[in-house]
Amino acid sequence: MCDSSSVQPPPIIGNYELLEPIASGGMAEVFRARTVGIEGFERPIAIKRMRKGIATDQEYVEMFINEARLASQLTHENILQVYELSKSDGQLHIAMEFVEGRDLRQIVQKLGKANRTLPIPAAVHIAIKLCHALDYAHRKTSLTGQPLNLIHRDVSPQNVLVSYDGLVKLLDFGVAKSNLACSETEAGIIKGKSGYMAPEQIRSERIDHRVDIFSIGVTLYEMLTGTRLFAGENDLQILEKVLMGQLQRPRKVNPDIPAELEAIVVKALRRNRNRRYDWASQMAEDLQAFLINSKQAFSPQLLSSFMRYEFSTEISNSSPSLPAASILGGKTRNLAKKSSPAPKAGRNIDREIRRRISQIKLKRTQLKKQARKRLMRFAASTAALSAAVFLMLSITVQSQKLETLSITTNPLANIQIIVDGKPLGTQSPLLTSDLAPGFHILTVRSRNYRTQTIVFEHFPDKANSIHVDLVPEAIAQLQSP
C-alpha cells in the first residue's frame, strides 16, 4: 500500500503547476502545465524553462527574451500564442499555448517511411496557413503604430505544428529579426537552418521579409515531394547548393504535382528575391486559386481527420506531443513515463476514435447498399447497358484484390475521376489498387454536371467501393437557394 503522505505535490512555477516534462534540450526544458484558479478553474499550458547552466550565457538569454518579446506581440490563429515571460528561482520561463499535435517534419518523415507524401490539397492548405501567419507577422506594427519589420528567419518543418484538431501553428521566433529585438546579429553570423535559408541570408546581406517566402517554398517543396530540397553531408555542402540554386523541379521528383502548383513553388524559390512573391499573402492567393481551379476543397476538419488517422496510436497513448525540437533548438527526448496512466482526456479521445470508426464502417455499409441499388437501376435502363455492366463487374470482381477500390458513377462515361489530384480514368466502373491506406480526396467531374468532391477512407485488406451521383448543372442551379 502506497503511503499517500509520501506523494509529492506538483512543483509550482509562478502561477503555474507543472504536471509532467515533455522534452529537454540544450537550452531549455518544456513541461505540460496548467494554471489553477478559484472554483476549480484551470487551463492547460506549456512552460518553456531556461536551464540553470546557461542562465549566465548572455547570447542565449537574449534569444530567450527575444522570442518571448516578439511572440507576445503576435495574436494570430496560425501562430503559437505566448502568454508571458517571467522568472522564478533565478530561471527565466515562458508560458505558451499548449497544442497536441506533431510538427511537420515528423509528419513528412512518417509518411516517407511508407513511401507516401502528404495529399496535395493538405500540403497546399498547410502552406496557405503559413503564408497567412507570416503575412500577419511581416505587416505587424507596434502599439504606437510603427512597423516592427519582423522577419522570422527560421521557417522550417520543425517549426510548424499541425494539431490533431487540424490547426496549423508557426513556432519559434527565437532568431527572428525586428525593431523589438534585444540585439543585432553580428556580421558573418548566420542564423537559421541551413537547408531553409534564402541565398541572401547565407551571404549575410541585408535581408527583408522575402527570406521567409523562400523558406515557405522549401517547406512546400518537401511536403509535396517527401524529399529534402537541399541535402548534403554537412552544412557547408547544403549552403553551397542553396547559393548555386541547384533546384530539381518538383514534378521531376513527383510527377503527380500539377504544373500550375509547381510554378508557384518555383516562384517562391527564386534566387533573386525581386523575382519572388513580394508578400506571403500573394503566394497564399495563388495557392488558394490553385485549389479552386482544380476543384480540390480542403479544410481544418479534413486535416484533423487525416492527423487522427495517421497518428491514431499516438493519440490513444495520449502522450504529450508539443514539438520540442522546434522550441528547444536542440535534440529532444520524450520524458513522459511509459507506466503513467493515460489521462482522462486520452480515454475520451479513444472513445471518440472508436465512435468515428463505427460511423465510418456504418457509412461504408450504407454506401455499398446504395451502390448495389443504383447499379441495378442502371442495369434495368437498357438491355445492352445491363449486359455490359454485368459483364464488366463480373470480370472485375473475380480478379479484384481485397485492397482494390471500386468507383462507380452516374453517368458512367465521359467523366473525370481524380484521386488526390491524380487523374485515374474517364469511365465507370473504375478499379484501382494503388492507393495507400488512409484518407483520400475523390473528385468526379463531367461536362454539364456539378462537380462532386468527397473525402473517403481506404481500408487495407478489405474491398472498398464508392458510388457518386452527379447532379446535372441545370438542376443544381434550380436547387440552389
Side-chain angles (χ1 to χ4, degrees), residues 426-471:
T426 58
Q427 289 188 336
S428 169
L430 182 144
L431 298 177
T432 178
S433 57
D434 296 333
L435 293 183
F439 285 92
H440 299 273
I441 299 175
L442 168 66
T443 300
V444 181
R445 303 175 189 160
S446 184
R447 186 176 181 181
N448 298 326
Y449 286 83
R450 179 66 59 89
T451 298
Q452 294 287 343
T453 299
I454 64 173
V455 176
F456 66 94
E457 186 174 7
H458 187 56
F459 292 89
D461 302 325
K462 292 184 179 180
N464 297 267
S465 62
I466 299 176
H467 180 84
V468 179
D469 274 323
L470 296 184
V471 179

Side-chain angles (χ1 to χ4, degrees), residues 194-458:
S194 56
Y196 301 90
M197 289 190 288
E200 65 270 24
Q201 190 174 355
I202 297 173
R203 292 192 294 262
S204 297
E205 297 175 358
R206 189 176 184 85
I207 63 172
D208 60 25
H209 59 273
R210 287 174 291 183
V211 300
D212 290 341
I213 294 175
F214 184 91
S215 300
I216 298 177
V218 179
T219 300
L220 179 55
Y221 181 102
E222 295 182 0
M223 283 193 286
L224 294 171
T225 64
T227 61
R228 289 289 301 273
L229 174 56
F230 301 110
E233 295 181 0
N234 51 56
D235 284 346
L236 181 59
Q237 288 187 4
I238 295 173
L239 295 176
E240 287 178 348
K241 289 183 178 180
V242 177
L243 291 174
M244 294 297 294
Q246 297 179 3
L247 170 64
Q248 186 176 24
R249 289 269 178 167
R251 284 164 57 85
K252 291 285 187 180
V253 183
N254 181 3
D256 293 336
I257 299 173
E260 179 185 354
L261 180 56
E262 181 184 67
I264 297 172
V265 177
V266 170
K267 183 173 181 178
L269 292 172
R270 295 291 186 191
R271 276 196 299 169
N272 184 344
R273 57 185 161 189
N274 294 323
R275 298 179 63 192
R276 293 178 210 146
Y277 290 98
D278 290 325
W279 294 97
S281 58
Q282 296 172 341
M283 183 176 179
E285 289 171 0
D286 280 359
L287 290 171
Q288 191 65 57
F290 162 76
L291 288 179
I292 294 173
N293 294 337
S294 59
K295 296 181 172 60
Q296 298 183 75
F298 206 79
S299 68
Q301 291 75 24
L302 296 180
L303 185 57
S304 174
S305 297
F306 172 82
M307 288 294 294
R308 290 183 180 277
Y309 176 84
E310 296 295 340
F311 292 94
S312 58
T313 301
E314 291 84 346
I315 293 174
S316 63
N317 291 336
S318 192
S319 58
S321 52
L322 196 69
S326 57
I327 60 179
L328 293 172
K331 187 176 180 180
T332 67
R333 51 194 177 96
N334 193 340
L335 300 178
K337 295 180 180 179
K338 295 182 179 180
S339 59
S340 300
K344 184 177 181 181
R347 294 194 294 269
N348 290 337
I349 291 173
D350 283 341
R351 288 196 293 269
E352 177 66 13
I353 291 173
R354 289 193 293 269
R355 185 182 68 82
R356 291 192 180 189
I357 291 175
S358 298
Q359 290 178 341
I360 291 171
K361 290 181 178 179
L362 177 60
K363 186 65 175 177
R364 290 177 62 244
T365 302
Q366 293 172 345
L367 288 173
K368 288 180 180 179
K369 291 180 180 179
Q370 292 174 4
R372 284 195 292 268
K373 290 180 180 179
R374 291 187 177 102
L375 285 174
M376 291 178 66
R377 289 200 298 268
F378 289 143
S381 60
T382 63
L385 182 61
S386 175
V389 172
F390 178 78
L391 179 60
M392 292 174 66
L393 289 179
S394 62
I395 293 174
T396 56
V397 167
Q398 291 176 8
S399 60
Q400 180 177 344
K401 296 181 180 180
L402 288 178
E403 68 273 14
T404 298
L405 170 66
S406 171
I407 302 174
T408 59
T409 66
N410 179 21
L412 294 173
N414 298 321
I415 56 174
Q416 287 182 300
I417 299 177
I418 303 168
V419 175
D420 298 335
K422 179 181 180 180
L424 295 186
T426 58
Q427 289 188 336
S428 169
L430 182 144
L431 298 177
T432 178
S433 57
D434 296 333
L435 293 183
F439 285 92
H440 299 273
I441 299 175
L442 168 66
T443 300
V444 181
R445 303 175 189 160
S446 184
R447 186 176 181 181
N448 298 326
Y449 286 83
R450 179 66 59 89
T451 298
Q452 294 287 343
T453 299
I454 64 173
V455 176
F456 66 94
E457 186 174 7
H458 187 56

